[in-house]
């Protein structure tokens, strides 16, 4: 269901197949690679914290693997999109709306240091949670500004235009 949903939003699944590996061992975090995600057995629950990670890793097939940041400074183009995809899946699957999740994270981010540049967080902070959430919030603000029809058309066009290529923040802004 999740794969079909993302394909409706972003365009056809960009690879020949998708494999999910579940280890017997518990893992701290799931990992994805082109056409594959790996999860520890501890992620096989239906609670939101685990479901959101499944959504996150799957969405990297479009945002990270099929459309790849040209440099690490643009990592938000992977992680911000994947975080926003979690919120979209929540909305689609009957959970909290993306808007509700965005407002919640906006409040949490307000209490954190404002010393991170989203478009170039630096090597020590490129996987800082603020990159994920601020990137997702940027996308949500864009969605609220242009409306759903234009926003999802933009995402489909972004993937189609840059499929199997490298992108930058400047390209997204343009």
């Amino acid at each position: 269901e999740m794969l079909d949903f993302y394909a409706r939003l972003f365009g056809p699944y960009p690879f020949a197949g998708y494999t999910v590996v579940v280890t017997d061992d518990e893992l701290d975090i799931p990992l994805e690679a082109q056409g594959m995600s790996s999860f520890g057995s501890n992620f096989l629950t239906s609670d939101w914290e685990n479901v959101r990670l499944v959504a996150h890793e799957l969405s990297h097939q479009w945002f990270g693997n099929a459309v790849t940041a040209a440099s690490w400074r643009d990592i938000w183009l992977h992680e911000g999109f994947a975080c926003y995809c979690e919120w979209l899946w929540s909305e689609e699957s009957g959970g909290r709306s993306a808007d509700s999740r965005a407002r919640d994270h906006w409040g949490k981010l307000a209490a954190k240091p404002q010393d991170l540049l989203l478009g170039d967080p630096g090597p020590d902070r490129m996987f800082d949670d603020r990159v994920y959430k601020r990137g997702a919030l940027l996308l949500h603000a864009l969605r609220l500004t242009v409306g759903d029809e234009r926003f999802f058309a933009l995402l489909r066009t972004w993937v189609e235009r840059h499929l199997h290529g490298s992108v930058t923040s400047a390209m997204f802004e343009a």
Side-chain angles (χ1 to χ4, degrees):
E1 291 174 9
M2 196 180 287
L3 195 146
D4 289 341
F5 173 64
Y6 287 163
R8 283 194 316 272
L9 292 183
F10 314 130
Y13 179 74
F15 302 107
Y18 183 62
T19 300
V20 174
V21 175
V22 179
T23 68
D24 287 335
D25 298 324
E26 294 188 0
L27 300 177
D28 291 334
I29 59 171
L31 298 169
E32 53 72 32
Q34 185 175 321
M36 185 183 97
S37 294
S38 300
F39 299 91
S41 59
N42 50 311
F43 291 101
L44 296 180
T45 71
S46 61
D47 72 296
W48 172 247
E49 285 306 308
N50 291 329
V51 171
R52 78 171 185 83
L53 291 171
V54 172
H56 183 102
E57 300 308 330
L58 175 60
S59 72
H60 275 312
Q61 298 307 310
W62 285 266
F63 306 107
N65 294 319
V67 178
T68 303
S71 79
W72 286 110
R73 73 183 43 169
D74 297 310
I75 193 66
W76 82 270
L77 292 168
H78 296 196
E79 302 305 344
F81 274 75
C83 182
Y84 196 61
C85 287
E86 298 171 20
W87 302 353
L88 293 173
W89 177 250
S90 174
E91 194 170 85
E92 171 70 11
S93 63
R96 290 176 49 203
S97 69
D99 191 64
S100 170
R101 292 193 182 279
R103 290 176 189 279
D104 181 49
H105 286 291
W106 176 267
K108 291 176 183 176
L109 283 174
K112 294 188 177 192
Q114 303 299 310
D115 61 348
L116 182 139
L117 182 61
L118 183 61
D120 189 4
D124 294 336
R125 295 192 271 182
M126 70 178 147
F127 294 108
D128 187 301
D129 193 52
R130 293 174 295 169
V131 171
Y132 293 56
K133 300 307 187 278
R134 285 180 60 194
L137 287 168
L138 182 153
L139 293 168
H140 190 64
L142 180 59
R143 180 183 178 190
L144 293 177
T145 301
V146 303
D148 281 4
E149 186 175 333
R150 286 185 175 161
F151 176 74
F152 291 111
L154 179 143
L155 295 187
R156 281 189 299 278
T157 300
W158 175 252
V159 171
E160 182 180 298
R161 183 172 294 155
H162 302 291
L163 191 63
H164 306 302
S166 298
V167 294
T168 65
S169 296
M171 291 167 72
F172 187 75
E173 290 172 26

